[in-house]
Amino acid sequence: SRNGNTDFLDDFAAAAIADALKNPGKPSRQPADAPAAPAPDSLVDSLASQLEIERSRNAELMETLAAERDRAARAEAEAKAQLAEANARVAELAGKLDLTQYPQAKKDTEPEKKQAPKEDRSFYHTKEAEGRNRKLIAVELAPPMGIDDEKLMDAAHLLQKSGVDVLTFPDSPSGRTRADSILMAEKVARETGMCVMPHICCRDKNAIAMRSQLLGAYINGIQNFLVITGDPIPSMVRTTVKSVFNFDSVGLMQILADMNEEQFTQAPASYGGAINQGRRNLEVEIGRVKKKMAAGATFFLTQPISTQESADRVRRIKEETGARILCGIMPFVSLKNATFMKNEMAGIDVTDEVLARYRADMTREEGEQAGVQLAKEVIVMTEDFADGYYFSFPFNRVTMLEKILN
């Protein structure tokens, strides 16, 4: 047998050898008819001598092993005794030492760095932080279909001192190409210093392009976004132009939420969504608003309101969700304008009662005055629950705003 690196002649082997020496004539495993061959006396004597030597060596090794075990046990006991004695001395010193008379020692580890508070660059933050008792005002400026942006820039400059909180820029609405909403917003912000908010729709770009676009906007100082799913492409061009729609507005909001955690950590982007209060099943729309809020949306802009029924539906959404809502107002400026919106623009509810306010022979001033009156009536319908108003002026006629607010 083996103990560590040492071989021992165990009792079984020793007994077997002794038995063989005592019975030299005992047959081994060989054929029955084979004659037994007695071991020569010299071999027997040699084996007996070797057996005694092995037994003696075995006894010495066992004694050595026992001695080593005893020594190890004594060393372990001594070490435990020394540890117990040391612990007793430490306890005794701790009881005598008054730590209150010494300043607390500094930790060896590096102190935890305090995180700087996150900046809130949302368009509504300043007014709400200052506690101003005034509705938020957003005005939409439609980017041009061509390269002439003079009318848009003139409108933006007119609004500089009008108390507008944010200018918004639609993203090729109705699937018809217009100047890029982010680039247009960046130019207006650079030249006027006003807060801007481009609309971002999911129709035209995949997730890679969306992230790239949002990074570029943020780098250029744009941190407010209206996230929408987007209008479908017109049927007449669907054979040559394809939609992307990797996700809807909730999916894009989740991408923005991830970017706020990963890239925009110091000053998160602020984003909101749209409300379609004209949806046949209002419960579905309420559920959509809640999903958008769960994805990080902090404000909502509604479709244009022109009737009491539409206002009541928005009021219901406000009561069910508690969302920050800017009610949409579109002051139509002529019968042709109102009729076009009724027939061609999905989601905009223009009733016969609204159309009756306009005549085909109205002058420009009369048409605008009819639009101003309509807007004032919508404000009265919604002032008890609206957090603000979102104006879409046909043909960027922003001069109507002052007449409405006055």
Side-chain angles (χ1 to χ4, degrees):
S1 62
R2 169 160 292 193
N3 190 334
N5 294 324
T6 306
D7 291 324
F8 294 94
L9 188 64
D10 56 31
D11 292 341
F12 177 79
I17 294 172
D19 183 63
L21 293 175
K22 291 177 182 178
N23 304 285
K26 186 176 181 179
S28 59
R29 291 185 181 180
Q30 52 184 315
D33 56 349
D41 292 341
S42 58
L43 176 59
V44 171
D45 293 341
S46 175
L47 288 173
S49 175
Q50 183 65 32
L51 177 60
E52 291 299 325
I53 293 172
E54 291 297 333
R55 280 178 172 171
S56 176
R57 178 169 172 267
N58 187 36
E60 291 176 359
L61 290 172
M62 293 299 290
E63 290 177 1
T64 302
L65 178 61
E68 289 293 332
R69 286 176 177 170
D70 291 343
R71 188 173 63 82
R74 288 194 301 272
E76 182 180 1
E78 184 179 352
K80 288 182 177 179
Q82 291 176 353
L83 179 60
E85 184 180 354
N87 287 337
R89 289 199 303 270
V90 170
E92 182 181 359
L93 289 173
K96 295 178 180 179
L97 184 61
D98 183 10
L99 296 176
T100 60
Q101 58 182 320
Y102 300 102
Q104 185 176 1
K106 294 183 179 180
K107 294 181 180 180
D108 294 335
T109 57
E110 184 179 353
E112 183 180 355
K113 294 181 179 178
K114 293 183 179 179
Q115 292 186 348
K118 293 184 178 181
E119 298 180 41
D120 189 342
R121 299 181 183 175
S122 60
F123 70 88
Y124 52 80
H125 171 68
T126 301
K127 182 177 292 184
E128 293 184 356
E130 294 176 355
R132 299 184 198 173
N133 187 22
R134 190 172 67 85
K135 304 290 188 182
L136 294 164
I137 301 296
V139 175
E140 178 181 291
L141 296 179
M145 292 184 174
I147 61 172
D148 185 4
D149 65 349
E150 183 177 357
K151 289 183 178 180
L152 182 146
M153 295 307 300
D154 287 345
H157 284 291
L158 283 172
L159 293 171
Q160 273 184 285
K161 297 181 180 180
S162 62
V164 171
D165 297 288
V166 64
L167 299 177
T168 81
F169 302 83
D171 187 5
S172 294
S174 302
R176 294 175 172 84
T177 303
R178 289 180 179 267
D180 184 81
S181 60
I182 290 178
L183 294 178
M184 203 72 252
E186 192 278 330
K187 179 176 181 179
V188 170
R190 176 165 30 91
E191 295 195 11
T192 67
M194 298 183 71
C195 181
V196 296
M197 179 171 66
H199 302 196
I200 308 294
C201 79
C202 306
R203 179 190 56 235
D204 308 319
K205 301 177 182 68
N206 62 21
I208 297 174
M210 286 289 187
R211 284 180 175 270
S212 175
Q213 188 178 40
L214 292 168
L215 285 171
Y218 192 94
I219 289 172
N220 283 280
I222 298 175
Q223 283 101 29
N224 289 273
F225 303 95
L226 179 67
V227 179
I228 57 176
T229 299
D231 300 323
I233 292 175
S235 57
M236 66 185 70
V237 295
R238 288 179 187 172
T239 56
T240 56
V241 181
K242 304 298 180 184
S243 300
V244 178
F245 288 121
N246 274 178
F247 33 70
D248 63 4
S249 57
V250 176
L252 182 52
M253 288 176 182
Q254 290 169 345
I255 287 179
L256 265 165
D258 291 341
M259 296 180 76
N260 277 343
E261 293 292 330
E262 296 166 3
Q263 281 98 12
F264 311 148
T265 54
Q266 187 59 40
S270 174
Y271 53 91
I275 289 178
N276 179 14
Q277 70 274 11
R279 188 188 292 267
R280 182 172 300 177
N281 188 340
L282 190 61
E283 295 300 326
V284 173
E285 187 64 19
I286 291 173
R288 289 282 297 172
V289 171
K290 291 179 178 179
K291 284 184 178 180
K292 292 174 184 180
M293 293 176 72
T298 58
F299 61 88
F300 292 86
L301 310 184
T302 76
Q303 290 283 13
I305 297 171
S306 59
T307 65
Q308 185 64 55
E309 179 186 1
S310 182
D312 290 342
R313 291 170 73 87
V314 176
R315 180 183 288 103
R316 167 84 183 284
I317 295 172
K318 174 73 172 181
E319 292 170 351
E320 293 284 338
T321 65
R324 180 185 288 108
I325 297 178
L326 280 70
C327 292
I329 298 178
M330 180 176 287
F332 307 118
V333 295
S334 67
L335 178 61
K336 182 178 180 181
N337 174 218
T339 303
F340 176 84
M341 290 297 173
K342 176 181 176 66
N343 297 330
E344 303 295 332
M345 303 300 290
I348 299 180
D349 181 25
V350 183
T351 64
D352 291 339
E353 179 184 356
V354 172
L355 291 177
R357 294 170 179 260
Y358 299 89
R359 303 188 318 273
D361 60 347
M362 273 185 166
T363 64
R364 172 170 175 154
E365 290 73 19
E366 289 174 335
E368 289 185 358
Q369 185 55 42
V372 168
Q373 184 59 36
L374 174 63
K376 288 185 175 184
E377 292 176 11
V378 173
I379 291 175
V380 172
M381 294 177 195
T382 58
E383 62 183 350
D384 62 315
F385 67 87
D387 296 288
Y389 297 100
Y390 163 49
F391 291 95
S392 299
F393 292 103
F395 317 110
N396 288 337
R397 294 189 190 177
V398 296
T399 54
M400 298 170 65
L401 179 64
E402 183 177 1
K403 300 174 185 178
I404 294 171
L405 297 183
N406 286 341

